[in-house]
Amino acid sequence: MTPSTPVSSHPASALSRRGFMVLGGIGMCGALAACSGKDSAEDEGTGPLRGTVTMWSSFTQGPRADWMKKMAEEFHAKNPDVTVKIEQFSWSEFKTKWTTGLTAGQVPDVSTALPNDVVEMINSEALVPLDKVIDSIGRDRFPKQALAEGQSDGKSYSVPIYSHAQVMWYRKDVLSSKGLSVPTTWEELAKAAKAIGKSDSLYGLSVPLGTGDMLGARYLNFYVRSAGQRLLKDDGTANLTSEAALGGIKYWTDLYKSVSPEGSLDYAVLDQATLFYQGKTAFDFNSGFHISGVAKDSPNLVDSIAAAPLPRMKASDPANYPAEVSNVPLVVWEASKVKREAKAFLEFLFTKDKYIEFLHSVPGGMLPVLNDIAKDPSYTNNETITKYSDSIKVIQDQVGVGTAIGMEKGPLVQAGVLTSQGLIEKMYHSIIIDKTDVEAAAKDCEKKLNEAFKAAGASIK
């Protein structure tokens, strides 16, 4: 289900080249040194590496942040004429940082990114191709679908560094105390969550709908994907008024009202995750990062959590259907004056022992994007990875079939709109706060999404 072909092979998903137009409009091509997407002369030098490489990193948590700083120091030790300056920004800050940075011509040399950001960056011609880096690391070591999310016109503009996927996490002890089985369908999940109910100390689950994040779209995407549909129609327009989409909107609205904390109407990712970390929700949807989160906040619960496949429509449906996967990438910016040095640092991060050290900084949270590393005893022989092997396998199985939201047919500008403008989340607010009819709210949101797609330069049949 995950495409391995570049975006240019899908007529409806070809990224339109419109200068620097991304969501909201952020300036023209002159903001950067060049807009060709081609390797420049400064990229082809053969002399010693030299200069200052600025990296924007969203690896802000302790172990990952420490690892990145250590890599900067080690790269400098190996290349004395190069200094790597690490600047940290949360994922939510990064979106604003890079879009406003393009306008001012103030972007880094290399950075972390999210797949949906990369689509917009490519559309803005803000990145340089990284095929030589990928070939040097070993193209065959990467899953084709992970590379495909950063490809356009036969070129690769991002290098994935790790993968994770959304699965259903649950509290074994809570289910046992209530005499409940692990839900396999959406109906079973609703019944289990309602049986657990909601109190200040424990909620059946939380339905996060903050307009500053993408969780409303994420949860709706789970439901729609389980019905064999997508949040996008084949013509590239939004799908919010189909029977499956309306069913999903009603499902999450009902569970918000029935079992979710009222404050979850404004929850972002960290707010939502923290509830599970603290043992206050019986069910949650997230990746393997929940392992380290619970270990840090509620070490007494480390033996009480486990992951299961996402719920499905019917118990007889396949247990593992394509939903949401994140292949988190690194990119090098077109505006950089030290592209060669930036690429060298990026490649340095994939040195085997250093890369495994990175993965082990959040074991189970970041899965290897290199196929051979996933099987290497140096990676697998880790206490946490061994302890949660069954749950990690659930995540790995989802990685093998899913994609980023909206990228089921390849990289699409629409994918960025779905997850960055909060329109789906605002739709839920309209339904819950303003008492707007579900079908009317869905129709209005669908219209707004399609308008936003066109404004962002999306290709629609």
Side-chain angles (χ1 to χ4, degrees):
M1 295 293 294
T2 303
S4 60
T5 49
V7 65
S8 57
S9 67
H10 300 286
S13 66
L15 302 179
S16 61
R17 303 285 181 170
R18 294 175 180 263
F20 274 86
M21 186 184 70
V22 296
L23 304 184
I26 57 173
M28 297 301 292
C29 198
L32 298 186
C35 294
S36 64
K38 299 179 181 179
D39 294 334
S40 59
E42 67 202 70
D43 205 24
E44 301 297 329
T46 57
L49 300 176
R50 64 178 70 251
T52 298
V53 174
T54 297
M55 178 176 187
W56 286 358
S57 173
S58 291
F59 300 152
T60 57
Q61 298 96 329
R64 296 201 300 180
D66 293 344
W67 177 84
M68 187 59 74
K69 291 177 182 177
K70 179 182 176 183
M71 292 305 99
E73 293 168 358
E74 292 187 6
F75 188 76
H76 173 67
K78 186 176 180 180
N79 303 276
D81 293 330
V82 180
T83 298
V84 179
K85 180 182 178 183
I86 306 295
E87 298 180 359
Q88 295 182 342
F89 302 96
S90 68
W91 290 115
S92 58
E93 289 178 297
F94 180 72
K95 177 73 175 185
T96 301
K97 186 71 177 178
W98 80 258
T99 52
T100 57
L102 279 179
T103 302
Q106 297 176 349
V107 292
D109 301 297
V110 61
S111 75
T112 54
L114 290 174
N116 291 353
D117 282 321
V118 172
V119 175
E120 296 177 47
M121 292 169 181
I122 294 173
N123 195 43
S124 304
E125 298 185 345
L127 305 178
V128 297
L130 296 173
D131 290 286
K132 291 181 180 179
V133 174
I134 292 171
D135 289 337
S136 181
I137 296 170
R139 185 174 294 271
D140 292 342
R141 302 172 72 193
F142 292 92
K144 290 183 179 179
Q145 66 268 27
L147 293 179
E149 291 182 349
Q151 291 176 338
S152 178
D153 297 330
K155 297 179 180 179
S156 296
Y157 290 86
S158 65
V159 181
I161 190 169
Y162 72 86
S163 299
H164 65 76
Q166 298 294 308
V167 295
M168 183 179 73
W169 287 89
Y170 63 95
R171 286 274 300 280
K172 295 185 289 184
D173 57 328
V174 173
L175 268 59
S176 177
S177 69
K178 297 287 186 178
L180 299 169
S181 300
V182 179
T184 60
T185 67
W186 294 113
E187 181 180 5
E188 290 174 357
L189 173 62
K191 288 181 179 179
K194 290 177 181 180
I196 295 166
K198 64 178 180 179
S199 67
D200 290 339
S201 59
L202 182 67
Y203 297 88
L205 59 76
S206 172
V207 182
L209 300 171
T211 57
D213 216 321
M214 57 174 279
L215 297 185
R218 168 175 288 168
Y219 279 42
L220 181 58
N221 183 65
F222 293 155
Y223 194 96
V224 170
R225 294 298 286 138
S226 73
Q229 296 186 27
R230 300 179 293 121
L231 290 180
L232 295 173
K233 299 174 185 176
D234 288 343
D235 64 0
T237 59
N239 170 31
L240 264 72
T241 56
S242 67
E243 182 178 350
L246 290 172
I249 295 168
K250 293 173 182 176
Y251 181 88
W252 291 118
T253 299
D254 173 63
L255 282 181
Y256 169 80
K257 295 177 179 179
S258 301
V259 300
S260 185
E262 290 184 12
S264 66
L265 199 64
D266 297 315
Y267 279 4
V269 169
L270 184 58
D271 302 309
Q272 174 75 2
T274 298
L275 280 185
F276 193 77
Y277 296 167
Q278 296 176 345
K280 294 183 178 180
T281 46
F283 295 101
D284 195 25
F285 298 95
N286 211 304
S287 67
F289 279 89
H290 265 14
I291 296 171
S292 61
V294 171
K296 179 182 177 183
D297 284 16
S298 304
N300 58 307
L301 296 179
V302 294
D303 293 324
S304 300
I305 65 168
L310 296 169
R312 44 198 188 269
M313 288 294 177
K314 299 179 295 184
S316 58
D317 291 342
N320 190 38
Y321 56 87
E324 184 187 348
V325 170
S326 291
N327 298 298
V328 178
L330 301 175
V331 297
V332 173
W333 292 75
E334 177 67 65
S336 173
K337 300 299 184 182
V338 286
K339 294 186 183 70
R340 193 162 66 97
E341 289 74 13
K343 291 181 179 182
F345 178 62
L346 191 160
E347 185 175 338
F348 178 74
L349 302 180
F350 285 86
T351 307
K352 179 180 175 180
D353 59 334
K354 304 181 192 305
Y355 182 58
I356 292 176
E357 183 181 345
F358 171 65
L359 298 171
H360 284 171
S361 68
V362 190
M366 300 185 296
L367 302 186
V369 76
L370 299 178
N371 297 321
D372 55 309
I373 297 297
K375 303 174 183 177
D376 195 298
S378 299
Y379 164 73
T380 58
N381 292 341
N382 171 274
E383 182 179 358
T384 300
I385 292 172
T386 300
K387 178 181 178 68
Y388 291 96
S389 59
D390 290 344
S391 293
I392 292 173
K393 184 180 186 304
V394 172
I395 301 168
Q396 189 65 64
D397 288 345
Q398 178 59 209
V399 168
V401 299
T403 68
I405 295 175
M407 292 196 191
E408 298 84 4
K409 297 279 187 181
L412 286 170
V413 174
Q414 291 94 317
V417 177
L418 284 170
T419 57
S420 69
Q421 295 205 8
L423 292 174
I424 291 176
E425 290 74 18
K426 291 174 184 175
M427 173 194 69
Y428 279 111
H429 283 218
S430 177
I431 294 168
I432 294 168
I433 298 174
D434 301 330
K435 312 300 181 184
T436 305
D437 175 75
V438 169
E439 293 189 16
K443 184 176 180 180
D444 179 64
C445 184
E446 191 173 78
K447 177 183 177 182
K448 289 177 179 176
L449 281 169
N450 289 333
E451 290 172 349
F453 293 163
K454 292 178 181 178
S459 177
I460 296 176
K461 290 182 180 179

